[in-house]
Amino acid sequence: MDCAFEFGTGHRDGFATDSVPDDDLNDPSRFAAWVATRVAYADEATELPPDRVHDTLSWIIDERDPSRILGSISLRHRLNDFLLAVGGHIGYGVRPSARRQGVATAALRLALDQAKDLDLQRVLITCQTDNAASARTIERNGGALEDIRETPDHDTVRRYWIDLDG
């Protein structure tokens, strides 16, 4: 999973493997188990831990080289209190070498189509206030800024809503 390591050590904000220990990324059987768990999270019949919501994880791949992962995007099927306050329906991360090429904008557009398929009327998407690139990505996809809020970690996030009924 060389894509994850391109983010450097520590926090891989927005990328699917943000909370996965590096040892699990390097061990094929442990990584496969993690992927199987994430696939199960998309199934509404799967019982989840109380702090989780069902979500669909998608890898963003390079069309020229499908073996190269450019990032990931997660569509949460509903919001819990935390996601409503600061997390949103959709989270994404793009590896540093693939940024500023329209990758996130295109992936978000596809995730919004998936959200329509789930019969969501509108989606909440957030980004850190200092992440101008992500704010532009959300705005390009129709995001309307609702407000800026402080997170439990004392960061601040911009909260955007995108209406899907249009």
Side-chain angles (χ1 to χ4, degrees), residues 92 104-110 112 125 135-144 161-164:
Y92 53 87
T105 300
L108 179 53
R109 189 175 310 114
L110 293 172
L112 294 172
I125 307 174
R136 282 191 304 273
T137 294
I138 298 165
E139 291 165 0
R140 282 187 193 115
N141 277 282
W161 287 96
I162 299 177
D163 290 323
L164 301 176

Side-chain angles (χ1 to χ4, degrees), residues 28-43 46 57 59:
S29 63
R30 293 195 317 218
F31 183 67
W34 177 82
V35 169
T37 298
R38 291 306 312 261
V39 168
Y41 283 179
D43 183 352
T46 300
L57 172 67
W59 299 111

